[in-house]
Amino acid sequence: VMSRSHQVQRPLDWYSLIVHLVTAADGATDSFVASDADETVAEALRLDAVMHEVQSGHPNYARVDNSTGFDEKMRRACELVVARLQQLEARG
C-alpha cells in the first residue's frame, strides 16, 4: 500500500500499539478447557502462533503471557498500554 508520501505502508502501520493477549491454551489450559472456545487447545495454539508471527514485526508489539492469573494479566496489559502510550507521546 502506498501512502501520499509514496512510502510503502505495511497493513498494521495504522496501529500505534499492538497488544497480544496470549491464548489461555498456552499456560492456562484449565481456563481454556472450561471456556466456550470453538477450537481445540492445539488449534488455539496454532492460531496464537500465527497471530504472533504476523503482529510481532510491528515496532510497538507487546505480548502478554499467562504467567499470572487472569486479573493480573489484565493489570499487566493495562500498565503496558499506559507505559507504551506515554513513550509514544514523549516522542511527539
Side-chain angles (χ1 to χ4, degrees):
V1 176
M2 298 292 283
S3 69
R4 290 184 188 178
S5 63
H6 302 289
Q7 294 178 343
V8 174
Q9 288 187 314
R10 296 170 300 180
L12 299 176
D13 282 352
W14 58 82
Y15 295 109
S16 299
L17 171 66
I18 295 176
V19 179
H20 176 163
L21 300 175
V22 173
T23 176
D26 183 0
T29 310
D30 290 344
S31 295
F32 181 82
V33 171
S35 73
D36 290 330
D38 290 332
E39 63 270 347
T40 66
V41 169
E43 290 169 333
L45 291 171
R46 184 186 62 77
L47 291 171
D48 200 73
V50 169
M51 294 301 292
H52 172 70
E53 183 178 333
V54 169
Q55 297 173 342
S56 64
H58 190 279
N60 287 308
Y61 171 79
R63 188 173 185 266
V64 182
D65 65 18
N66 293 304
S67 60
T68 62
F70 182 77
D71 290 341
E72 179 66 14
K73 179 181 180 179
M74 293 302 102
R75 188 191 63 72
R76 288 186 296 127
C78 289
E79 286 180 356
L80 187 145
V81 168
V82 169
R84 292 282 177 99
L85 291 178
Q86 287 173 338
Q87 290 171 355
L88 290 171
E89 186 176 278
R91 287 187 217 158

